[in-house]
Amino acid sequence: EKALCVLARATLRTHIITMLALPCASVRASAVGARTSSPMRTMISMRSRPVVVVRAGDLEPDNISVLVCGGNGVAMDVFRQLTAAGTWATCLQRHETNRKEIESVGGFLVKGDALVAKDVAKAMNQSDEYDAVVSTIGGTPADPIADSAANIALIDAAAAKGCGKFVLVTSIGVGDSAGAPPPNVYDALKPVLIEKDKAEKHLMEVSAKTGMQYVIVRPGGLKSEPATGTAVLTEDKRVCGAIHREDVAALVIKCILKEKANGKVLSCVDQAQLLDQPAFEPFVV
């Protein structure tokens, strides 16, 4: 997993918080067998593109196919939780470390790099259709190109295929949340945050042109401990704190399933692990 290096929050006085980058490439998709009948879908025409198929209303986890792009960490937690709920899934990853686990629950692994066009095409073609694509792909401050270029390639490919929704997992500190992290943390992560901002803006532009729905999820500092169940989403751009990967995955899945999340940019933190800041209103999905 490529992670943004940084920081377990040390003390409130120094305001240092660990903000690990989100996984790299992992895609889950649908594959074998018949699917149950699907809800009514909304068809949105596109110039020089296939038709984007957006399902009306909330999605049922056992009646959708999802492509999850990213390596370990959050991406694999998304995969595990989706398949446990009955979702058809495929993973795009640069390695085969997780192949046995993925295939043991009926998932598919496409080994490839989202920076390579043929690998992206192979992942997109693994299933006849994807109801949603999730990307947790990220680089490092020393090599942040994947944060923009890889995600942009996936966004374009998803829209071209006609996927109904794209959920992009970035980071607190991107775009209009730049003032949320302590200055020393923002400076350490700045190369990555700038590239993630390019991907976020591109996703919004593609959505406006094609009708593909989107959700942007910005987690705080990532930890690997078990889920706490106290993590929340919020539209408040000032929040900053830590969050466990399993909790991020659970909230990402809510964003996949719930129509209410469409078109939202949401920060993602654990209410019990916040930095000093004013009270904020959670976004409930």
Side-chain angles (χ1 to χ4, degrees):
E1 169 189 17
K2 278 197 174 181
L4 300 179
C5 72
V6 200
L7 21 248
R9 78 185 201 190
T11 67
L12 293 177
R13 295 180 74 183
T14 56
H15 289 116
I16 299 180
I17 184 171
T18 311
M19 299 187 78
L20 298 176
L22 305 160
C24 270
S26 137
V27 182
R28 293 194 79 198
S30 104
V32 179
R35 297 175 54 184
T36 58
S37 59
S38 59
M40 181 181 298
R41 300 178 178 222
T42 302
M43 311 288 278
I44 301 174
S45 304
M46 297 182 296
R47 294 177 184 173
S48 69
R49 290 181 183 270
V51 172
V52 167
V53 180
V54 181
R55 291 201 188 193
D58 294 342
L59 304 179
E60 295 297 329
D62 60 352
N63 191 33
I64 59 172
S65 61
V66 178
L67 175 63
V68 184
C69 308
N72 295 309
V74 173
M76 279 302 294
D77 284 330
V78 169
F79 173 82
R80 293 177 184 118
Q81 293 179 33
L82 280 175
T83 50
T87 302
W88 294 101
T90 299
C91 298
L92 170 64
Q93 300 184 351
R94 296 187 304 161
H95 55 78
E96 298 200 17
T97 307
N98 299 312
R99 180 177 293 279
K100 184 175 180 181
E101 177 183 355
I102 290 168
E103 294 181 347
S104 71
V105 292
F108 286 83
L109 172 64
V110 176
K111 182 184 178 184
D113 190 329
L115 289 170
V116 178
K118 66 178 180 62
D119 292 348
V120 172
K122 183 178 179 181
M124 290 293 167
N125 292 331
Q126 181 66 39
S127 176
D128 289 341
E129 62 178 356
Y130 291 116
D131 297 287
V133 176
V134 177
S135 177
T136 67
I137 288 177
T140 66
D143 184 16
I145 188 63
D147 289 282
S148 56
N151 284 312
I152 287 170
L154 289 167
I155 291 163
D156 288 344
K161 186 175 179 65
C163 300
K165 182 184 286 192
F166 197 105
V167 180
L168 178 62
V169 183
T170 60
S171 175
I172 287 176
V174 175
D176 55 6
S177 68
N184 58 328
V185 173
Y186 180 84
D187 290 342
L189 298 175
K190 188 174 181 179
V192 163
L193 300 176
I194 289 173
E195 297 305 312
K196 288 183 184 296
D197 185 50
K198 294 176 184 177
E200 286 190 1
K201 286 183 168 61
H202 187 75
L203 178 56
M204 294 178 194
E205 291 170 358
V206 170
S207 175
K209 291 177 181 177
T210 67
M212 181 174 70
Q213 295 295 327
Y214 75 88
V215 188
I216 293 170
V217 179
R218 296 170 172 171
L222 295 175
K223 294 184 176 181
S224 297
E225 288 85 352
T228 66
T230 55
V232 296
L233 298 164
T234 179
E235 294 183 87
D236 194 319
K237 304 304 187 290
R238 302 168 299 167
V239 300
C240 191
I243 186 168
H244 297 190
R245 286 177 171 82
E246 289 183 0
D247 288 311
V248 175
L251 293 172
V252 165
I253 291 171
K254 288 185 178 181
C255 291
I256 295 171
L257 300 177
K258 298 300 183 179
E259 186 178 36
K260 182 181 177 182
N262 292 356
K264 298 293 185 180
V265 179
L266 302 167
S267 294
C268 185
V269 292
D270 192 312
Q271 290 181 300
Q273 302 183 57
L274 300 173
L275 293 181
D276 284 338
Q277 61 193 55
F280 66 92
E281 182 178 350
F283 180 84
V284 180
V285 289

